[in-house]
Amino acid sequence: MRSFSLHTVGKGSDDSGLDQPGSEYKFFGYQYSFRISYFKMMHFLLLFSRQGKLRLQKWFLPLPERERKKIVKDMTTMVLARKPRTCNFLHWKDLKVVYKRYASLYFCCALEDQDNELMALETLHRYVELLDKYFGNVCELDIIFNFEKAYFILDEFLMGGEIQETSKQSVARSIEASDMLQETMEEYMSKPAF
Amino acid sequence: MSDVVEKTLTALPGLFDSQTGAARITNRLRQLIKSITELTSKHDEENLIKQELSAMKEQVSSPNTTMKQMREVMVRAMYCEMLGYDASFTYIHAIKLAQQGGVLEKRVGYLAVSLFLSEGHELLLLLVNTVLKDLQSTNLIEACMALTVVAQVFPKDMIPAVLPLVEDKLSHPKEIIRRKAVLALYKFHLIAPTQVQHIHGKFRKALCDKDPGVMTSSLHIYLQLITESPDGYKDLTGSLVTILKQVVGGKLPVEFDYHSVPAPWLQIQLLRILSLLGREDPSTSELMYDVLDESLRRAEMNHNITYAILYECVKAVYTIHPKAELLEKAARCIGNFVLSPKINLKYLGLKALTYVVQHDARLALQHQMTIIECLDHADYTIKRETLELLFRITNAQNVTVIVEKMLDFLHGCNDEHTIIHLVCSG
């Protein structure tokens, strides 16, 4: 078993809590030195186009670069191969993959086996609603050219793979606050100095 | 490249007739994206990105690069990494950007850090000072950004350095800060539980917070704690039942509604916690029967999220100490799912049956015909789920048929993980 984490798992460390069941988690053979919540743990969230081009990637678990590349490749292949009128869920290794297509973009996330797939589907939908509210009639181009904004919104909405039940307003407000600051500052800075 | 993209890209320069600061900064990213989409081969793309990366390398090493320019470089670096190219020379500069830049630069710097670095990365230690400074900043936006990054990626060994500051934020007047502080502490609990053991009392305060967002965040911690050891938290049952009653009864502000359903993710979270508390405990289960009944009744609308809540309800009903009327209602609910023409619901119904069948095999027999039909369903996922269910209802009469079907399935199956999983559980 390859050990990814730089912290060693074992007795004598200050985390005696690690000896509890479920404390060592093996995911694809990589050992993690922290506990993973059994429920509601989204492992990753990907957005990709119909041509398989990645538009956004959010990883809620640390994984080495080559593993990530492989996962992205697997996800795009699998999801793009799905026929219409099939359900939005897939089995993949020991996880469940939930995906939905919005216009030219596929939103895709991976969950623990025991998780609630329909809830994850709605989580994806909620994210799309937030993007739509922010960009106004969001399309793939908005996300391509403003991907960092898409990340800001995602971070306000999902933390560590878990949804923060905040009202739509509060997510929008916190992004707007930073945005307004941005606009004001840029306006200020581009004004002539006399 | 599609026509739409072509048209849009050619129209772009016209939108920026006045060279404002924003346009100047984002133009280089747009140029890069435009150039990439014009290329036809992977080889060309590699060359272009290599050029871009070496230009960026020069920029980051130059002492004349302003923070504003560095921010722009960072965005391009994130883009290149997303395409799969290595831009690790920018990692240290991401931290510097978060450290030295203004609010705007910090925002991008912290984002880059959360995307580039992960648990155990050696550069994470350098983040600690920046975070410490921002946590103490009077600018709330900076404090928010620091808390956000801490909740995503933070070196385990340095938790004691920031813990007092984060703890402090739990009593901040602004709810967004309190909420983010709770999530940061949740992260700490996951990576180093003994470090936060002494503040479990403060979590209770967060649970009773007047802001629903803060309360919901505290539930993440409680779900984890209760999963590990439900016994210590049975006393919470009453309060959690009350909260769920209030949510289901529509007492939350309307902004927490999602398609007319009040705070669905919160409901689901509460249902999960309650099912853990009520498991194998008749007296605790007794406290929940009413609210479960109410939830089953309320979730009557035709929306995916309602079905998601119903699924959790049904699971809860079957996990806790049984009550006949509830089981009946839950069984009816599962029946509706399995018989539904909507394929996502069918899937959920099968999944619920798989869970339920351990407690009550009769339910599966009731829907035998539908299950057999699902075996030959066009959708591979449904087929697979049906097989999982069948393993659990195997008895002396149907074992031959089931094993035959399984062998058929396995012959057509390419994924070795599926094969191992099915054979082991079969």
Side-chain angles (χ1 to χ4, degrees), chain B residues 142-206:
Chain B
E142 290 182 356
C144 276
M145 288 194 248
L147 284 170
T148 304
V149 108
V150 161
Q152 293 182 76
V153 60
F154 198 74
K156 190 166 88 160
D157 299 327
M158 298 306 291
I159 290 180
V162 294
L163 191 56
L165 281 171
V166 175
E167 242 185 273
D168 208 39
K169 300 274 180 271
L170 284 176
S171 29
H172 197 278
K174 274 275 178 196
E175 69 276 356
I176 187 172
I177 300 264
R178 292 200 302 275
R179 177 166 52 86
K180 286 184 186 281
V182 170
L183 291 168
L185 290 171
Y186 173 52
K187 174 74 173 182
F188 290 169
H189 176 74
L190 285 180
I191 59 179
T194 45
Q195 306 268 20
V196 292
Q197 232 159 28
H198 61 286
I199 52 174
H200 280 198
K202 301 212 173 164
F203 298 155
R204 297 236 170 183
K205 236 184 93 192

Side-chain angles (χ1 to χ4, degrees), chain A residues 6 40 58 115 117 129 164, chain B residues 120 152 179 259 272 347:
Chain A
L6 293 180
K40 271 183 100 161
K58 187 75 188 182
D115 223 329
E117 288 94 330
E129 286 181 351
Q164 311 173 48
Chain B
Q152 293 182 76
R179 177 166 52 86
H259 295 259
R272 288 177 177 175
Y347 173 89

Side-chain angles (χ1 to χ4, degrees), chain A residues 164, chain B residues 179-180 182-183 186 212-221:
Chain A
Q164 311 173 48
Chain B
R179 177 166 52 86
K180 286 184 186 281
V182 170
L183 291 168
Y186 173 52
V214 181
M215 182 262 293
T216 312
S217 307
S218 72
L219 288 179
H220 294 311
I221 303 185

Side-chain angles (χ1 to χ4, degrees), chain B residues 278-302:
Chain B
R279 177 190 271 170
E280 285 158 13
D281 185 335
S283 52
T284 314
S285 300
E286 192 69 46
L287 300 169
M288 330 180 173
Y289 292 147
D290 276 342
V291 79
L292 283 174
D293 192 51
E294 184 73 24
S295 305
L296 278 173
R297 207 172 53 79
R298 288 274 187 157
E300 286 295 298
M301 288 165 37
N302 292 335

Side-chain angles (χ1 to χ4, degrees), chain B residues 168-393:
Chain B
D168 208 39
K169 300 274 180 271
L170 284 176
S171 29
H172 197 278
K174 274 275 178 196
E175 69 276 356
I176 187 172
I177 300 264
R178 292 200 302 275
R179 177 166 52 86
K180 286 184 186 281
V182 170
L183 291 168
L185 290 171
Y186 173 52
K187 174 74 173 182
F188 290 169
H189 176 74
L190 285 180
I191 59 179
T194 45
Q195 306 268 20
V196 292
Q197 232 159 28
H198 61 286
I199 52 174
H200 280 198
K202 301 212 173 164
F203 298 155
R204 297 236 170 183
K205 236 184 93 192
L207 184 63
C208 308
D209 196 290
K210 61 180 190 288
D211 179 70
V214 181
M215 182 262 293
T216 312
S217 307
S218 72
L219 288 179
H220 294 311
I221 303 185
Y222 277 111
L223 183 54
Q224 182 70 12
L225 290 171
I226 292 172
T227 311
E228 290 158 14
S229 85
D231 295 323
Y233 300 93
K234 301 275 175 148
D235 58 319
L236 282 179
T237 314
S239 330
L240 295 172
V241 166
T242 314
I243 297 176
L244 184 55
K245 270 203 180 106
Q246 289 177 336
V247 175
V248 170
K251 301 282 184 343
L252 282 183
V254 81
E255 56 187 34
F256 287 94
D257 277 6
Y258 174 74
H259 295 259
S260 317
V261 179
W265 286 275
L266 172 54
Q267 286 190 47
I268 289 175
Q269 189 83 312
L270 286 165
L271 288 167
R272 288 177 177 175
I273 295 181
L274 286 174
S275 65
L276 286 172
L277 288 172
R279 177 190 271 170
E280 285 158 13
D281 185 335
S283 52
T284 314
S285 300
E286 192 69 46
L287 300 169
M288 330 180 173
Y289 292 147
D290 276 342
V291 79
L292 283 174
D293 192 51
E294 184 73 24
S295 305
L296 278 173
R297 207 172 53 79
R298 288 274 187 157
E300 286 295 298
M301 288 165 37
N302 292 335
H303 193 283
N304 266 348
I305 195 68
T306 328
Y307 302 136
I309 298 175
L310 273 175
Y311 173 76
E312 290 296 327
C313 249
V314 161
K315 267 184 90 167
V317 165
Y318 276 94
T319 312
I320 63 176
H321 192 74
K323 175 157 192 215
E325 296 98 53
L326 279 182
L327 289 176
E328 232 178 289
K329 289 190 181 161
R332 232 179 296 143
C333 187
I334 298 182
N336 287 338
F337 280 359
V338 173
L339 295 169
S340 168
K342 294 189 189 154
I343 197 166
N344 286 343
L345 286 186
K346 222 190 245 313
Y347 173 89
L348 216 63
L350 290 171
K351 191 168 168 163
L353 268 180
T354 313
Y355 184 79
V356 152
V357 99
Q358 298 158 52
H359 304 264
D360 182 6
R362 292 169 300 160
L363 195 56
L365 293 172
Q366 208 182 328
H367 298 286
Q368 222 169 194
M369 285 320 296
T370 322
I371 298 174
I372 305 284
E373 274 169 40
C374 286
L375 262 184
D376 296 312
H377 204 278
D379 185 350
Y380 187 84
T381 308
I382 298 270
K383 271 217 281 248
R384 164 83 194 269
E385 198 64 26
T386 319
L387 265 180
E388 296 257 10
L389 172 57
L390 284 179
F391 291 144
R392 286 169 180 77
I393 57 173

Side-chain angles (χ1 to χ4, degrees), chain A residues 7 42 49 53 61-62 87 99 111 115 141 157 172 182 185:
Chain A
H7 305 290
M42 211 180 267
S49 70
K53 285 219 139 106
L61 286 180
C87 65
Y99 70 94
L111 311 170
D115 223 329
L141 286 177
F157 163 65
Q182 180 150 355
M185 287 198 65

Side-chain angles (χ1 to χ4, degrees), chain A residues 4 27-28 30 32 43-46 54 56-76 92 151, chain B residues 78 81-82 84 91 112-119 121 152-153:
Chain A
F4 173 70
F27 175 57
F28 297 169
Y30 292 98
Y32 293 99
H43 284 224
F44 53 81
L45 180 89
L46 305 174
L54 196 61
L56 194 137
Q57 53 173 350
K58 187 75 188 182
W59 304 88
F60 298 110
L61 286 180
L63 285 170
E65 187 58 41
R66 64 187 168 289
E67 195 60 47
R68 293 186 189 190
K69 284 196 174 143
K70 183 161 186 310
I71 291 176
V72 171
K73 194 153 165 282
D74 282 352
M75 287 297 119
T76 47
W92 183 69
Y151 274 117
Chain B
M78 287 191 272
E81 286 251 324
M82 185 156 66
Y91 294 178
V113 165
S114 73
L115 291 177
F116 293 157
L117 306 182
S118 53
E119 227 75 36
H121 199 286
Q152 293 182 76
V153 60

